[in-house]
Amino acid sequence: MLKKERAILALEDGTVYRGYAYGHRGETVGEVVFNTSMTGYQEIMTDPSYNGQIVTITYPHVGNYGVAIYDMESNKPYVRGFISREFSGTYSNYRAQQSLEAFMQQYGVVSIQGIDTRALVRRLRSGGVVKGVIAHRSYTHPEDAYGEFTPAEEQVYVRRAQGHQDIDGFDMTREVTTALPYAFPTLRSGKRVVLMDFGIKHTIIERLAEVGIEPIVVPAHTTPAQIMALQPHGLFLSNGPGDPAPLEYAHKAAWELMGLLPTFGICLGHQILGLAAGGKTFKMKFGHRGGNQPVKNLLTNTVEITSQNHGYAVDLESIPNDAFVATHINLNDGTLEGMAHTRYPVFSVQYHPEASPGPHDSRYLFNRFIEEIDLFDGGSGTPVAKASTGRLGV
């Protein structure tokens, strides 16, 4: 029997899972979450929204179709670690350039396999997400890579997980946003839209370009004056990692621009709009992460299967003066999944309509955004009575 290098996953609650090393040899610490997608591991790894998190894939076999450069959602992986029941030792895909393990080694992604991921996910669902450490025996004991960790060594990693900084209250967008503005090249002229980058995915930019938008991506800290100086037709608030509450600069910018530009927010951008309007967000027990989340469109009374990745949600009832109304709700737990302003052409969804990976049920929202822009530009110029609620679902 082929020997495998030992590894452990130590959680802050004292639980230790024993498995085998995979990917880059080393140690890593982060918030342990799970994703229920059956495919798309490369897109998940390179999604900046996972910055600071160790991702558990519930599908038991990962890596069999390799890695293709065209499936990158950013310039590198942002996950702190990766967990699977089993990683494939081989791959078969005409588009692939390398194996998943070679990709992980290239970018320093520490991973573990061979643990009971079903038990881990049940623990996260019952107790909520926790901080954890993945440690490879070969990293700390190269002379005995195949030996077991001692109970004392395991407790060292438990304490390390306990001492790791919480995601709550920490601004993680500073680690993922673009350093400089840039324009996305398009083959045709269109409506200029400023995309505030809180951790934007490549596919989102591509989908906006497809519907006739000229995207200009700017850093998260860009001021309203700098945005308006670009003379945009619209504003897009992107996805991103972590807690939306400490991003006060983003709340302020969204508030000052509300009503001046048609605005579309997704994921973190959705939460920022809720906070900008005076509302509150809360941390969910284990969040929504996967490509199979059912959402009800309240405007059309239809159901969309959506791709999601978030651990926080907007409390709609906390938003004063009924500034926003619900347009979408999650059918599993009733949390808010979409909202629209009652007076201005401003709307948002908590999920990912670009769906990379995931179903394409919600791609219509990109067309709705360009419709909002066209209506705003072609109207009287007064945002009052141009709310997006009446047009989102038709």
Side-chain angles (χ1 to χ4, degrees):
M1 181 178 178
L2 181 66
K3 285 187 175 182
K4 297 181 180 180
E5 297 177 19
R6 303 297 302 190
I8 60 169
L9 169 67
L11 304 182
E12 63 175 314
D13 64 4
T15 307
V16 177
Y17 296 88
R18 300 168 184 88
Y20 305 100
Y22 191 82
H24 177 75
R25 300 307 193 257
E27 298 175 3
T28 189
V29 58
E31 183 180 75
V32 182
V33 301
F34 64 90
N35 186 296
T36 57
S37 296
M38 296 177 66
T39 61
Y41 51 81
Q42 182 182 345
E43 292 92 333
I44 291 167
M45 292 176 66
T46 57
D47 180 353
S49 295
Y50 282 110
N51 184 40
Q53 294 177 325
I54 296 173
V55 180
T56 307
I57 298 294
T58 60
Y59 193 71
H61 189 69
V62 175
N64 60 308
Y65 57 84
V67 171
I69 190 172
Y70 305 105
D71 296 330
M72 299 282 283
E73 286 296 339
S74 61
N75 295 329
K76 65 176 183 178
Y78 277 94
V79 294
R80 291 283 173 85
F82 218 54
I83 302 170
S84 174
R85 173 64 181 172
E86 180 184 25
F87 287 107
S88 176
T90 60
Y91 69 94
S92 177
N93 178 4
Y94 75 97
R95 297 173 66 251
Q97 286 86 38
Q98 62 184 150
S99 69
L100 177 58
E101 184 162 34
F103 178 75
M104 289 180 172
Q105 290 171 344
Q106 177 182 349
Y107 288 101
V109 180
V110 179
S111 305
I112 185 173
Q113 66 173 334
I115 71 171
D116 188 345
T117 51
R118 295 172 301 176
L120 173 59
V121 170
R122 286 178 67 89
R123 177 172 291 275
L124 298 177
R125 285 180 61 89
S126 61
V129 296
V130 293
K131 294 175 289 185
V133 174
I134 297 175
H136 290 172
R137 179 81 176 175
S138 57
Y139 181 70
T140 54
H141 298 80
E143 75 288 350
D144 187 22
Y146 307 105
E148 298 285 353
F149 285 86
T150 67
E153 290 172 332
E154 291 177 347
Q155 289 307 306
V156 169
Y157 291 110
V158 169
R159 291 192 293 272
R160 187 171 299 176
Q162 293 169 342
H164 183 62
Q165 181 176 4
D166 287 331
I167 287 179
D168 300 356
F170 181 68
D171 181 0
M172 304 198 73
T173 63
R174 299 174 185 270
E175 300 176 1
V176 300
T177 188
T178 180
L180 297 170
Y182 63 92
F184 182 80
T186 58
L187 298 178
R188 58 178 178 173
S189 61
K191 300 292 186 180
R192 182 183 303 146
V193 172
V194 170
L195 283 56
M196 295 190 73
D197 177 13
F198 303 110
I200 197 166
K201 295 170 62 180
H202 289 169
T203 305
I204 293 175
I205 306 174
E206 294 168 3
R207 296 290 173 264
L208 289 168
E210 284 176 0
V211 299
I213 283 173
E214 292 183 12
I216 299 177
V217 184
V218 300
H221 287 79
T222 304
T223 66
Q226 291 171 325
I227 290 173
M228 294 305 292
L230 295 171
Q231 298 182 329
H233 298 94
L235 176 68
F236 181 84
L237 306 179
S238 86
N239 63 293
D243 187 354
L247 278 60
E248 295 182 359
Y249 55 90
H251 312 163
K252 184 175 184 292
W255 170 251
E256 292 183 8
L257 293 170
M258 199 172 295
L260 298 180
L261 295 169
T263 302
F264 181 18
I266 72 163
C267 203
L268 184 67
H270 162 83
Q271 298 161 6
I272 287 171
L273 283 172
L275 290 164
K280 297 179 180 179
T281 55
F282 61 93
K283 187 167 187 178
M284 306 173 74
K285 190 174 183 179
F286 49 82
H288 299 150
R289 298 176 180 89
N292 50 7
Q293 293 285 330
V295 167
K296 183 176 182 180
N297 185 325
L298 300 177
L299 302 174
T300 62
N301 203 35
T302 57
V303 175
E304 303 166 22
I305 304 302
T306 66
S307 178
Q308 302 200 17
N309 170 23
H310 65 102
Y312 296 82
V314 175
D315 178 5
L316 183 65
E317 295 182 358
S318 68
I319 299 177
N321 302 321
D322 298 323
F324 282 94
V325 296
T327 57
H328 300 75
I329 60 168
N330 189 285
L331 288 177
N332 285 334
D333 57 18
T335 54
L336 181 68
E337 292 283 5
M339 62 184 185
H341 203 281
T342 56
R343 298 177 63 216
Y344 303 139
V346 177
F347 68 97
S348 61
V349 291
Q350 181 62 80
Y351 49 93
H352 281 257
E354 85 288 349
S356 181
H360 299 168
D361 298 24
S362 304
R363 286 192 178 178
Y364 69 89
L365 289 165
F366 294 106
N367 291 315
R368 292 293 176 262
F369 185 35
I370 195 70
E371 289 173 8
E372 293 288 350
I373 293 172
D374 289 339
L375 287 167
F376 189 83
D377 287 348
S380 63
T382 303
V384 175
K386 302 185 88 177
S388 59
T389 52
R391 293 190 292 270
L392 271 174
V394 297

